[in-house]
Amino acid sequence: YFLMRLNLIKFGTVKSTNDIAIKIIRSKKSNAGIIVSDNQTKGRGTMGKQWISLNGNLFASIFFQLKKNMPNPDEFSLINPLIIKRVLNKYSRIDIKIKWPNDLLIKSRKVCGILQELIKIDKKNFLIIGIGVNTINSPNNKKFKSISLLECSDKMINNYEILTNLKKNYELSNWRYWKYKYKNL
C-alpha cells in the first residue's frame, strides 16, 4: 500500500481544474491534492478538445508527485479509469464500461472523461488526473452522446460524496492490486 494525503482545495469557479493543479505544483504550495470547483468555464479534454462543464456536475483534478514505488504514467492511464469506475459504479444501476483510455460510458454514452497530464518541476514528475463527471446534467453534444449518473441511478447523487470516495481510493490505493487488475482485463 502507498498512503498519500490529498489536500482538498475548493473553488467556486475556475477555467480548468487541471490548470489550477499545474499552478499549485509550480508555486510549490503543495505536492499532492485534489482540486474541485462548482463551475468550470474552460474545461479541457484530450487532444485539445473542450470538456463541456454543465452546472451541478463534478469537476476535479487529483495531483501528486510520482514516487519510485508507484506505477508509471502509462500504467496510471490504465489504472485511473478502473478506480473512477469503481467509485461511480456505486451510483449506477447500469454497468459502466471503459472506453480506453479516458472515457467512462453508460449505454454507450459518455458519463465521465479523464484527462491525464504529466509535468516536470525541478526534476520531479507530477501526475494530474482531471475528472469530469456528468453527475446531474448531460451536455447536448452533436459529436458524442452523453448521459448523467442521475439518469441511471436510484440513489441521491452527491458530488461531495463521490469526491470523498475518489479521494479515499487514491489516498489508500494498493497500486499492485490495480496493476494486476488492468493486466488481467
Side-chain angles (χ1 to χ4, degrees):
Y1 281 88
F2 178 77
L3 297 171
M4 77 174 134
R5 178 92 176 99
L6 297 173
N7 299 316
L8 184 58
I9 307 161
K10 295 181 189 177
F11 289 89
T13 301
V14 299
K15 285 182 181 176
S16 157
T17 56
N18 271 32
D19 290 348
I20 297 292
I22 291 168
K23 282 181 187 164
I24 289 171
I25 294 165
R26 286 197 174 131
S27 72
K28 299 181 177 128
K29 287 183 180 161
S30 179
N31 276 345
I34 183 165
I35 313 273
V36 65
S37 183
D38 295 330
N39 297 297
Q40 184 174 248
T41 58
K42 289 195 172 164
R44 294 186 282 120
T46 53
M47 297 181 281
K49 293 181 193 147
Q50 179 188 6
W51 177 261
I52 299 169
S53 307
L54 295 180
N55 273 1
N57 290 341
L58 178 63
F59 320 110
S61 292
I62 297 168
F63 68 92
F64 49 87
Q65 183 182 340
L66 286 171
K67 306 283 188 185
K68 284 183 174 55
N69 61 342
M70 295 174 91
N72 67 46
D74 289 342
E75 291 173 316
F76 265 109
S77 66
L78 299 169
I79 293 169
N80 292 325
L82 293 170
I83 292 175
I84 298 164
K85 176 184 171 183
R86 174 199 230 175
V87 170
L88 297 183
N89 260 337
K90 294 177 182 158
Y91 298 90
S92 179
R93 54 181 198 279
I94 301 160
D95 192 40
I96 296 173
K97 305 269 187 238
I98 297 172
K99 180 181 163 219
W100 295 102
N102 55 3
D103 290 332
L104 297 181
L105 308 177
I106 298 174
K107 296 181 178 176
S108 302
R109 294 159 65 194
K110 190 186 277 198
V111 70
C112 174
I114 305 160
L115 176 63
Q116 179 175 298
E117 296 182 288
L118 182 70
I119 66 165
K120 193 174 213 148
I121 307 277
D122 299 334
K123 298 181 181 163
K124 295 176 189 166
N125 286 319
F126 290 87
L127 192 68
I128 302 165
I129 305 145
I131 305 165
V133 184
N134 298 328
T135 50
I136 307 298
N137 300 300
S138 57
N140 220 345
N141 192 324
K142 291 177 179 77
K143 292 179 184 156
F144 64 86
K145 290 185 163 100
S146 66
I147 195 166
S148 73
L149 209 48
L150 184 62
E151 293 172 65
C152 311
S153 185
D154 43 19
K155 295 180 179 160
M156 285 291 296
I157 303 297
N158 180 321
N159 286 348
Y160 186 75
E161 188 179 284
I162 292 170
L163 182 72
T164 304
N165 285 329
L166 283 169
K167 185 177 181 301
K168 270 189 230 160
N169 271 272
Y170 277 91
E171 286 179 334
L172 306 172
S173 228
N174 177 344
W175 301 123
R176 276 196 205 107
Y177 165 79
W178 289 112
K179 282 171 94 164
Y180 169 82
K181 191 104 170 124
Y182 79 73
K183 285 181 179 174
N184 290 290
L185 286 174

